Short mmCIF file of all heavy atoms in Angstrom, two decimals:
data_model
loop_
_atom_site.label_atom_id
_atom_site.label_comp_id
_atom_site.label_asym_id
_atom_site.label_seq_id
_atom_site.Cartn_x
_atom_site.Cartn_y
_atom_site.Cartn_z
N PRO C 6 204.42 36.86 -36.08
CA PRO C 6 205.27 37.45 -37.11
C PRO C 6 205.54 38.94 -36.88
O PRO C 6 204.62 39.72 -36.64
CB PRO C 6 204.46 37.22 -38.39
CG PRO C 6 203.68 35.98 -38.11
CD PRO C 6 203.30 36.09 -36.65
N GLY C 7 206.82 39.30 -36.91
CA GLY C 7 207.22 40.69 -36.78
C GLY C 7 207.32 41.21 -35.37
O GLY C 7 207.78 42.34 -35.16
N LYS C 8 206.96 40.43 -34.38
CA LYS C 8 206.99 40.89 -32.98
C LYS C 8 208.32 40.54 -32.34
O LYS C 8 208.74 39.38 -32.32
CB LYS C 8 205.86 40.26 -32.18
CG LYS C 8 205.84 40.69 -30.71
CD LYS C 8 204.73 39.99 -29.93
CE LYS C 8 204.75 40.40 -28.47
NZ LYS C 8 203.69 39.71 -27.69
N ALA C 9 209.00 41.55 -31.77
CA ALA C 9 210.27 41.32 -31.09
C ALA C 9 210.02 40.66 -29.74
O ALA C 9 209.18 41.11 -28.96
CB ALA C 9 211.01 42.64 -30.90
N GLU C 10 210.77 39.61 -29.47
CA GLU C 10 210.69 38.92 -28.18
C GLU C 10 212.08 38.65 -27.65
O GLU C 10 213.03 38.47 -28.43
CB GLU C 10 209.93 37.60 -28.31
CG GLU C 10 208.45 37.75 -28.61
CD GLU C 10 207.68 36.45 -28.39
OE1 GLU C 10 207.94 35.80 -27.35
OE2 GLU C 10 206.86 36.10 -29.24
N LYS C 11 212.22 38.59 -26.32
CA LYS C 11 213.51 38.26 -25.72
C LYS C 11 213.64 36.75 -25.62
O LYS C 11 212.84 36.08 -24.96
CB LYS C 11 213.67 38.90 -24.35
CG LYS C 11 215.05 38.66 -23.74
CD LYS C 11 215.31 39.51 -22.52
CE LYS C 11 214.53 39.03 -21.32
NZ LYS C 11 214.95 39.73 -20.08
N LEU C 12 214.65 36.21 -26.28
CA LEU C 12 214.92 34.78 -26.26
C LEU C 12 216.11 34.53 -25.33
O LEU C 12 217.18 35.12 -25.52
CB LEU C 12 215.25 34.29 -27.67
CG LEU C 12 214.24 34.67 -28.76
CD1 LEU C 12 214.73 34.16 -30.12
CD2 LEU C 12 212.86 34.12 -28.45
N ASN C 13 215.91 33.69 -24.35
CA ASN C 13 216.97 33.37 -23.39
C ASN C 13 217.66 32.08 -23.82
O ASN C 13 217.05 31.00 -23.80
CB ASN C 13 216.39 33.22 -21.99
CG ASN C 13 215.79 34.52 -21.48
OD1 ASN C 13 216.49 35.53 -21.35
ND2 ASN C 13 214.50 34.52 -21.22
N ILE C 14 218.92 32.20 -24.23
CA ILE C 14 219.67 31.05 -24.74
C ILE C 14 220.68 30.58 -23.70
O ILE C 14 221.54 31.35 -23.26
CB ILE C 14 220.39 31.42 -26.06
CG1 ILE C 14 219.38 31.93 -27.09
CG2 ILE C 14 221.16 30.22 -26.60
CD1 ILE C 14 220.00 32.41 -28.37
N ASN C 15 220.55 29.34 -23.31
CA ASN C 15 221.47 28.72 -22.36
C ASN C 15 222.76 28.35 -23.09
O ASN C 15 222.77 27.45 -23.92
CB ASN C 15 220.80 27.47 -21.76
CG ASN C 15 221.71 26.74 -20.78
OD1 ASN C 15 222.84 27.15 -20.51
ND2 ASN C 15 221.22 25.64 -20.25
N MET C 16 223.83 29.07 -22.79
CA MET C 16 225.11 28.83 -23.46
C MET C 16 225.99 27.82 -22.71
O MET C 16 227.13 27.60 -23.08
CB MET C 16 225.86 30.16 -23.63
CG MET C 16 225.13 31.21 -24.45
SD MET C 16 225.02 30.78 -26.20
CE MET C 16 226.74 30.88 -26.69
N TRP C 17 225.48 27.26 -21.63
CA TRP C 17 226.22 26.33 -20.77
C TRP C 17 227.39 27.05 -20.10
O TRP C 17 227.34 28.25 -19.86
CB TRP C 17 226.63 25.08 -21.55
CG TRP C 17 225.46 24.20 -21.89
CD1 TRP C 17 224.28 24.61 -22.46
CD2 TRP C 17 225.33 22.80 -21.69
NE1 TRP C 17 223.43 23.55 -22.62
CE2 TRP C 17 224.05 22.42 -22.16
CE3 TRP C 17 226.16 21.83 -21.16
CZ2 TRP C 17 223.60 21.10 -22.13
CZ3 TRP C 17 225.71 20.51 -21.15
CH2 TRP C 17 224.45 20.16 -21.60
N SER C 18 228.44 26.34 -19.78
CA SER C 18 229.52 26.92 -18.97
C SER C 18 230.88 26.78 -19.66
O SER C 18 231.07 25.92 -20.52
CB SER C 18 229.59 26.23 -17.61
OG SER C 18 228.39 26.39 -16.88
N THR C 19 231.81 27.63 -19.23
CA THR C 19 233.18 27.53 -19.73
C THR C 19 234.11 28.23 -18.75
O THR C 19 233.68 28.90 -17.81
CB THR C 19 233.31 28.15 -21.14
OG1 THR C 19 234.54 27.72 -21.73
CG2 THR C 19 233.28 29.67 -21.09
N ALA C 20 235.40 28.07 -18.98
CA ALA C 20 236.44 28.81 -18.27
C ALA C 20 237.43 29.27 -19.32
O ALA C 20 238.12 28.44 -19.93
CB ALA C 20 237.12 27.93 -17.22
N GLN C 21 237.47 30.57 -19.55
CA GLN C 21 238.25 31.10 -20.67
C GLN C 21 238.88 32.43 -20.27
O GLN C 21 238.20 33.32 -19.74
CB GLN C 21 237.34 31.32 -21.88
CG GLN C 21 237.98 32.03 -23.05
CD GLN C 21 238.94 31.15 -23.84
OE1 GLN C 21 238.77 29.92 -23.84
NE2 GLN C 21 239.89 31.74 -24.51
N THR C 22 240.17 32.57 -20.55
CA THR C 22 240.84 33.85 -20.39
C THR C 22 240.95 34.52 -21.76
O THR C 22 241.67 34.01 -22.63
CB THR C 22 242.24 33.68 -19.77
OG1 THR C 22 242.11 33.16 -18.44
CG2 THR C 22 242.97 35.01 -19.70
N PHE C 23 240.22 35.61 -21.93
CA PHE C 23 240.35 36.42 -23.14
C PHE C 23 241.53 37.36 -22.87
O PHE C 23 241.44 38.28 -22.06
CB PHE C 23 239.08 37.22 -23.41
CG PHE C 23 237.89 36.35 -23.74
CD1 PHE C 23 237.02 35.93 -22.74
CD2 PHE C 23 237.64 35.96 -25.05
CE1 PHE C 23 235.92 35.14 -23.04
CE2 PHE C 23 236.54 35.17 -25.36
CZ PHE C 23 235.68 34.75 -24.35
N GLU C 24 242.64 37.10 -23.52
CA GLU C 24 243.88 37.78 -23.15
C GLU C 24 243.99 39.21 -23.69
O GLU C 24 243.34 39.57 -24.68
CB GLU C 24 245.07 36.95 -23.63
CG GLU C 24 245.15 35.58 -22.95
CD GLU C 24 246.42 34.83 -23.30
OE1 GLU C 24 247.51 35.33 -22.98
OE2 GLU C 24 246.32 33.74 -23.89
N LYS C 25 244.79 39.97 -23.01
CA LYS C 25 245.10 41.33 -23.45
C LYS C 25 245.52 41.32 -24.91
O LYS C 25 246.30 40.47 -25.34
CB LYS C 25 246.22 41.91 -22.58
CG LYS C 25 246.67 43.30 -22.97
CD LYS C 25 247.80 43.77 -22.07
CE LYS C 25 248.30 45.15 -22.49
NZ LYS C 25 249.42 45.62 -21.61
N GLY C 26 244.98 42.25 -25.70
CA GLY C 26 245.29 42.30 -27.13
C GLY C 26 244.30 41.53 -27.98
O GLY C 26 244.29 41.68 -29.20
N HIS C 27 243.47 40.69 -27.36
CA HIS C 27 242.43 39.94 -28.06
C HIS C 27 241.12 40.75 -28.05
O HIS C 27 241.07 41.85 -27.50
CB HIS C 27 242.18 38.59 -27.39
CG HIS C 27 243.29 37.61 -27.60
ND1 HIS C 27 243.08 36.29 -27.93
CD2 HIS C 27 244.66 37.75 -27.52
CE1 HIS C 27 244.22 35.66 -28.04
NE2 HIS C 27 245.20 36.52 -27.79
N LYS C 28 240.07 40.19 -28.63
CA LYS C 28 238.74 40.75 -28.59
C LYS C 28 237.76 39.65 -28.21
O LYS C 28 237.97 38.47 -28.54
CB LYS C 28 238.32 41.34 -29.95
CG LYS C 28 239.20 42.47 -30.46
CD LYS C 28 238.73 42.91 -31.85
CE LYS C 28 239.62 43.97 -32.44
NZ LYS C 28 239.18 44.35 -33.81
N ILE C 29 236.68 40.03 -27.53
CA ILE C 29 235.57 39.11 -27.27
C ILE C 29 234.53 39.34 -28.35
O ILE C 29 234.18 40.49 -28.65
CB ILE C 29 234.95 39.36 -25.88
CG1 ILE C 29 236.02 39.22 -24.79
CG2 ILE C 29 233.80 38.40 -25.62
CD1 ILE C 29 235.54 39.66 -23.41
N ALA C 30 234.03 38.27 -28.93
CA ALA C 30 233.05 38.40 -30.01
C ALA C 30 231.84 37.52 -29.77
O ALA C 30 231.92 36.47 -29.13
CB ALA C 30 233.67 38.07 -31.36
N VAL C 31 230.70 37.98 -30.29
CA VAL C 31 229.47 37.21 -30.33
C VAL C 31 229.02 37.15 -31.78
O VAL C 31 228.92 38.18 -32.45
CB VAL C 31 228.36 37.86 -29.46
CG1 VAL C 31 227.01 37.20 -29.73
CG2 VAL C 31 228.71 37.74 -27.98
N HIS C 32 228.79 35.94 -32.28
CA HIS C 32 228.30 35.74 -33.64
C HIS C 32 226.86 35.24 -33.58
O HIS C 32 226.55 34.36 -32.77
CB HIS C 32 229.16 34.72 -34.39
CG HIS C 32 230.58 35.16 -34.61
ND1 HIS C 32 231.52 34.37 -35.27
CD2 HIS C 32 231.23 36.30 -34.28
CE1 HIS C 32 232.67 35.03 -35.32
NE2 HIS C 32 232.53 36.18 -34.72
N VAL C 33 226.01 35.79 -34.42
CA VAL C 33 224.58 35.43 -34.42
C VAL C 33 224.18 35.02 -35.83
O VAL C 33 224.50 35.70 -36.81
CB VAL C 33 223.70 36.61 -33.95
CG1 VAL C 33 222.23 36.19 -33.94
CG2 VAL C 33 224.12 37.09 -32.57
N SER C 34 223.48 33.90 -35.93
CA SER C 34 222.95 33.44 -37.21
C SER C 34 221.67 32.65 -36.93
O SER C 34 221.15 32.68 -35.81
CB SER C 34 223.97 32.58 -37.95
OG SER C 34 224.25 31.41 -37.21
N SER C 35 221.18 31.93 -37.94
CA SER C 35 219.99 31.11 -37.74
C SER C 35 220.22 29.65 -38.11
O SER C 35 219.26 28.88 -38.21
CB SER C 35 218.82 31.67 -38.56
OG SER C 35 218.30 32.83 -37.94
N SER C 36 221.48 29.26 -38.27
CA SER C 36 221.78 27.87 -38.63
C SER C 36 223.23 27.56 -38.30
O SER C 36 224.08 28.45 -38.20
CB SER C 36 221.50 27.61 -40.11
OG SER C 36 222.17 28.55 -40.93
N ASN C 37 223.50 26.26 -38.17
CA ASN C 37 224.85 25.75 -37.91
C ASN C 37 224.78 24.25 -38.24
O ASN C 37 224.60 23.42 -37.37
CB ASN C 37 225.24 25.98 -36.46
CG ASN C 37 226.65 25.51 -36.13
OD1 ASN C 37 227.32 24.90 -36.95
ND2 ASN C 37 227.09 25.80 -34.92
N PHE C 38 224.88 23.96 -39.52
CA PHE C 38 224.62 22.61 -40.01
C PHE C 38 225.90 21.93 -40.49
O PHE C 38 226.71 22.57 -41.16
CB PHE C 38 223.62 22.67 -41.18
CG PHE C 38 223.24 21.34 -41.74
CD1 PHE C 38 222.34 20.53 -41.08
CD2 PHE C 38 223.82 20.88 -42.92
CE1 PHE C 38 222.00 19.27 -41.60
CE2 PHE C 38 223.49 19.64 -43.44
CZ PHE C 38 222.57 18.84 -42.77
N PRO C 39 226.15 20.67 -40.09
CA PRO C 39 225.19 19.69 -39.54
C PRO C 39 225.17 19.56 -38.02
O PRO C 39 224.53 18.64 -37.52
CB PRO C 39 225.66 18.39 -40.17
CG PRO C 39 227.15 18.56 -40.25
CD PRO C 39 227.37 20.01 -40.58
N ARG C 40 225.87 20.43 -37.30
CA ARG C 40 225.84 20.31 -35.83
C ARG C 40 224.41 20.38 -35.31
O ARG C 40 224.04 19.64 -34.41
CB ARG C 40 226.69 21.41 -35.20
CG ARG C 40 226.61 21.48 -33.67
CD ARG C 40 227.83 22.16 -33.10
NE ARG C 40 227.65 22.70 -31.77
CZ ARG C 40 227.59 21.96 -30.65
NH1 ARG C 40 227.66 20.65 -30.71
NH2 ARG C 40 227.45 22.56 -29.48
N PHE C 41 223.60 21.28 -35.88
CA PHE C 41 222.20 21.41 -35.46
C PHE C 41 221.27 21.27 -36.66
O PHE C 41 221.58 21.73 -37.76
CB PHE C 41 221.96 22.76 -34.78
CG PHE C 41 222.82 23.00 -33.57
CD1 PHE C 41 223.75 24.03 -33.56
CD2 PHE C 41 222.72 22.19 -32.45
CE1 PHE C 41 224.54 24.26 -32.45
CE2 PHE C 41 223.51 22.40 -31.34
CZ PHE C 41 224.44 23.44 -31.34
N ASP C 42 220.13 20.66 -36.42
CA ASP C 42 219.10 20.50 -37.44
C ASP C 42 218.69 21.86 -37.99
O ASP C 42 218.61 22.85 -37.24
CB ASP C 42 217.89 19.80 -36.81
CG ASP C 42 216.73 19.66 -37.77
OD1 ASP C 42 216.97 19.19 -38.90
OD2 ASP C 42 215.60 20.00 -37.40
N VAL C 43 218.42 21.93 -39.29
CA VAL C 43 218.02 23.19 -39.92
C VAL C 43 216.50 23.36 -39.82
O VAL C 43 215.74 22.46 -40.19
CB VAL C 43 218.45 23.23 -41.40
CG1 VAL C 43 217.98 24.54 -42.05
CG2 VAL C 43 219.96 23.10 -41.51
N ASN C 44 216.07 24.51 -39.32
CA ASN C 44 214.65 24.82 -39.23
C ASN C 44 214.16 25.25 -40.61
O ASN C 44 214.73 26.14 -41.24
CB ASN C 44 214.43 25.95 -38.22
CG ASN C 44 212.98 26.09 -37.80
OD1 ASN C 44 212.07 25.92 -38.60
ND2 ASN C 44 212.77 26.43 -36.54
N LYS C 45 213.06 24.65 -41.07
CA LYS C 45 212.51 24.99 -42.38
C LYS C 45 211.57 26.19 -42.31
O LYS C 45 210.99 26.60 -43.33
CB LYS C 45 211.80 23.78 -42.97
CG LYS C 45 212.75 22.63 -43.27
CD LYS C 45 212.03 21.42 -43.85
CE LYS C 45 213.01 20.28 -44.11
NZ LYS C 45 212.31 19.07 -44.64
N ASN C 46 211.41 26.75 -41.11
CA ASN C 46 210.65 28.00 -40.93
C ASN C 46 209.16 27.89 -41.22
O ASN C 46 208.50 28.91 -41.43
CB ASN C 46 211.25 29.13 -41.80
CG ASN C 46 212.72 29.36 -41.52
OD1 ASN C 46 213.17 29.31 -40.39
ND2 ASN C 46 213.48 29.64 -42.57
N GLN C 47 208.63 26.70 -41.19
CA GLN C 47 207.21 26.50 -41.52
C GLN C 47 206.36 26.20 -40.29
O GLN C 47 205.14 26.12 -40.39
CB GLN C 47 207.05 25.34 -42.52
CG GLN C 47 207.63 25.62 -43.90
CD GLN C 47 206.69 26.44 -44.76
OE1 GLN C 47 205.85 27.17 -44.26
NE2 GLN C 47 206.85 26.36 -46.07
#
């Protein structure tokens, strides 16, 4: 609890052109339901 650790997340692969005038974004959260099971944190 409370200790910062580096988590390596495998994002798999893609081929994407982020075009001029666009932005690249990263969104971070702790859930995405129902695509992924929800952790009850216990």
Side-chain angles (χ1 to χ4, degrees):
K8 180 182 178 181
E10 292 194 44
K11 185 169 73 171
L12 309 177
N13 296 299
I14 303 176
N15 178 1
M16 300 291 292
W17 290 48
S18 299
T19 196
Q21 173 75 26
T22 296
F23 295 92
E24 296 187 62
K25 178 181 178 180
H27 288 225
K28 299 176 183 178
I29 302 171
V31 169
H32 295 180
V33 181
S34 64
S35 284
S36 53
N37 182 354
F38 181 77
R40 174 158 159 74
F41 301 116
D42 177 50
V43 178
N44 195 323
K45 295 180 181 178
N46 303 322
Q47 293 279 24

